[in-house]
Amino acid sequence: MAVLSQEAVASLAKRLEQAQLTGATINKVTDDYPNLDWGDAYNIQWAIRQRKLDRGGRIVGLKMGLTSWAKMRQMGVETPIYGFLVDEFSVPDGGVVDAGKLIHPRVEAEIAVVTGRELRGPGCQVAQVAAAIDCVLPAIEVIDSRYENFRFDLPSVISDNCSAARFCVGGITRRLKDLDLKTLGVVLEKNGEVVETGAGAAVLGHPLNSVAMLANLLSERGPQELNTIPAGTFILTGAVTAAVAVQAGDAVRARHQGLGAISLRFA
Ligand code: 0L1
Ligand code: MG
């Protein structure tokens, strides 16, 4: 049960979005509102989303976060969380990220999908997801918590749009039938050295589980216009690797088996 007034939701959304836009840390939202729950947290996230739309931003996708069992255990939760991607977060393959606009960026290699049909929960299953996926792409997500030292609790990170900051897609686009997402290997390099390796199974056992869970989470809590995943939705399914800290001067490359390589530079 959400407990915050609309005014409090609007004011926290403004504070969090300002922090994201200016690259400044803020107190956790639960420091001011210790009883704030998941419902309030998503209300704040959706209010940030609305602020971006009101200024002419375009929502270009959804992301899943906390999709590894290890990270969920660490946060004491049993379900992942989701956030939105807006056009201002998008960086082209080979592009440059202005690290001066971020606080303490970290990169994660991810597997991204685009849906070809609507997905609707509750009860959405992997088989339905498999039938609905149009294509698969390699991705890098840059996360950047607006809280000091990436220290937060679950309502605070949901409110902060799951630390979403930038993302990059590119490489080779493939049909799902041509890939085994569970065993798909990923190598993450920083400044030419391998820093992380992983396989798709790191994402909830299979990245398509993550998409099914997203459809089910949206059906539970999404505002009316957001309670399904429409056809044509780009989705970051969650980190295949641990998040790696980066700073100005770093170059990052992700190599996804069968999907080519994508890279970003931080300046
Ligand atoms: O994309 C992610 O998995 C991040 C989710 C939020 C938690 C974090 O910032 O580490
Ligand atoms: Mg991520």
Side-chain angles (χ1 to χ4, degrees):
M1 262 314 276
V3 296
L4 289 191
S5 67
Q6 277 189 357
E7 290 72 31
V9 167
S11 137
L12 290 168
K14 182 172 178 189
R15 179 137 66 94
L16 274 160
E17 201 210 4
Q18 283 303 317
Q20 179 247 309
L21 292 172
T22 58
T25 54
I26 55 168
N27 290 344
K28 294 198 305 299
V29 294
T30 48
D31 290 347
D32 295 335
Y33 296 94
N35 297 328
L36 182 150
D37 68 12
W38 282 46
D40 294 304
Y42 278 115
N43 287 341
I44 296 166
Q45 187 193 116
W46 294 327
I48 298 173
R49 179 182 181 279
Q50 191 58 48
R51 289 177 66 84
K52 301 220 177 269
L53 289 173
D54 292 345
R55 280 204 315 278
R58 248 177 6 102
I59 302 303
V60 294
L62 295 168
K63 66 163 279 183
M64 286 291 275
L66 301 184
T67 46
S68 84
W69 303 117
K71 222 162 169 179
M72 275 192 265
R73 252 196 316 275
Q74 191 189 337
M75 295 292 295
V77 293
E78 285 170 7
T79 51
I81 55 180
Y82 65 86
F84 65 85
L85 302 171
V86 67
D87 51 357
E88 72 187 54
F89 296 170
S90 172
V91 185
D93 181 13
V96 180
V97 176
D98 182 351
K101 295 209 164 124
L102 302 175
I103 304 164
H104 35 208
R106 297 178 181 177
V107 294
E108 302 177 324
E110 304 218 4
I111 294 170
V113 298
V114 179
T115 57
R117 290 190 214 159
E118 181 188 78
L119 282 167
R120 183 183 287 270
C124 181
Q125 303 286 333
V126 169
Q128 287 152 301
V129 176
I133 296 300
D134 186 50
C135 60
V136 180
L137 302 106
I140 296 175
E141 185 182 22
V142 183
I143 55 171
D144 191 35
S145 174
R146 269 54 71 167
Y147 305 119
E148 221 162 288
N149 299 322
F150 261 89
R151 266 201 229 111
F152 44 67
D153 45 50
L154 204 64
S156 295
V157 70
I158 292 171
S159 305
D160 187 23
N161 193 23
C162 304
S163 310
R166 299 286 184 274
F167 70 94
C168 165
V169 278
I172 299 166
T173 303
R174 286 214 192 275
R175 297 282 165 209
L176 185 62
K177 69 177 175 47
D178 297 326
L179 298 166
D180 174 2
L181 294 194
K182 189 170 184 143
T183 59
L184 191 142
V186 177
V187 174
L188 183 63
E189 297 169 0
K190 181 169 125 179
N191 302 328
E193 288 189 7
V194 174
V195 284
E196 289 289 334
T197 57
V203 184
L204 293 171
H206 193 299
L208 297 193
N209 284 332
S210 176
V211 179
M213 206 164 271
L214 175 61
N216 292 328
L217 287 169
L218 286 173
S219 74
E220 273 169 31
R221 283 238 27 102
Q224 194 151 14
E225 71 280 15
L226 275 183
N227 60 7
T228 63
I229 303 176
T233 302
F234 170 79
I235 302 167
L236 288 179
T237 60
V240 174
T241 61
V244 174
V246 285
Q247 59 185 16
D250 285 337
V252 167
R253 182 181 302 268
R255 299 177 189 275
H256 289 58
Q257 189 178 10
L259 294 173
I262 48 176
S263 57
L264 280 180
R265 271 190 316 110
F266 290 79

